[in-house]
Amino acid sequence: MLKYQIYQSQLKDSPSFGKFYARIISDGTVDVKGLAEHMAKHNTPFSPGTITGIITDAIACIKELALDGKRITLDGLVSIGLSITHKMGAISADEFSVAKCVDKVKLVAMGVGEFSSSLLTTQAKLKESNTYQSPRTSSPTTDEPEPETPGGGSGSDAGGGSGTDNTGGGSGNTGGEEEIPYE
């Protein structure tokens, strides 16, 4: 079950300004050691230490290959590559320079196979988190259940919570952010 929080866009010069969106709230982080320990419990002949070494080496190789301009695909999970974020565009190709135009190089990961967006959207179950003060002014009633989410989950767990601010954590598209996919 994926938990989400509702937040209001603060992008003033965007059509999304003032509209409400959802962002996934992480239920914790699993590092390489935790992943290795989890994997070792799945009837593998390898110890957590061996698995940690393999994953650590894989990370180093993925970084090396990505910095060499390769896209790396982990079958059924993710395609990893690098992308450029620009400070500004040049008026002409002759006036383009990395120093003037390129802001940063960033990692871009896209789910593939079982982790493609279309499959995740149909398989994920979404429920509003109860660990924050929801901006809802009313809760769905039992007579009128909240409509099913795109992922097939339903219901709301709104209300209560810690009153923490709903601007941090998770990820989400506010509608005003532009992501340029790599090719």
Side-chain angles (χ1 to χ4, degrees):
M1 175 75 64
L2 296 172
K3 301 288 177 93
Y4 68 89
Q5 290 181 354
I6 299 170
Y7 70 97
Q8 189 173 25
S9 171
Q10 301 300 312
L11 298 172
K12 293 195 186 294
D13 295 331
S14 170
S16 69
F17 180 73
K19 293 183 181 170
F20 290 86
Y21 298 89
R23 76 170 44 103
I24 299 292
I25 302 304
S26 174
D27 191 27
T29 301
V30 178
D31 61 9
V32 171
K33 181 181 176 195
L35 177 60
E37 289 170 356
H38 178 84
M39 291 173 66
K41 293 177 186 173
H42 285 270
N43 297 321
T44 177
F46 302 110
S47 71
T50 300
I51 296 170
T52 298
I54 292 168
I55 294 171
T56 301
D57 287 350
I59 291 168
C61 290
I62 289 169
K63 179 181 176 184
E64 177 185 347
L65 291 167
L67 288 171
D68 194 34
K70 306 279 192 293
R71 180 178 302 158
I72 300 91
T73 299
L74 302 179
D75 297 341
L77 179 63
V78 67
S79 176
I80 301 167
L82 300 178
S83 178
I84 293 173
T85 301
H86 295 90
K87 296 177 194 172
M88 58 186 272
I91 294 171
S92 70
D94 292 333
E95 292 184 29
F96 178 87
S97 79
V98 171
K100 270 192 335 189
C101 300
V102 174
D103 184 35
K104 60 186 167 187
V105 175
K106 64 181 182 177
L107 179 74
V108 178
M110 182 184 309
V112 296
E114 300 268 333
F115 269 76
S116 68
S117 292
S118 59
L119 283 177
L120 288 175
T121 300
T122 60
Q123 295 174 357
K125 301 213 181 305
L126 301 171
K127 185 174 185 176
E128 187 173 4
S129 172
N130 64 357
T131 62
Y132 80 119
Q133 184 62 48
S134 175
R136 292 180 188 267
T137 56
S138 63
S139 297
T141 65
T142 54
D143 298 346
E144 192 175 323
E146 184 177 16
E148 287 212 4
T149 65
S154 65
S156 176
D157 196 5
S162 63
T164 58
D165 119 15
N166 60 358
T167 59
S171 64
N173 184 353
T174 61
E177 298 169 353
E178 181 180 6
E179 179 65 44
I180 302 172
Y182 62 95
E183 295 182 354

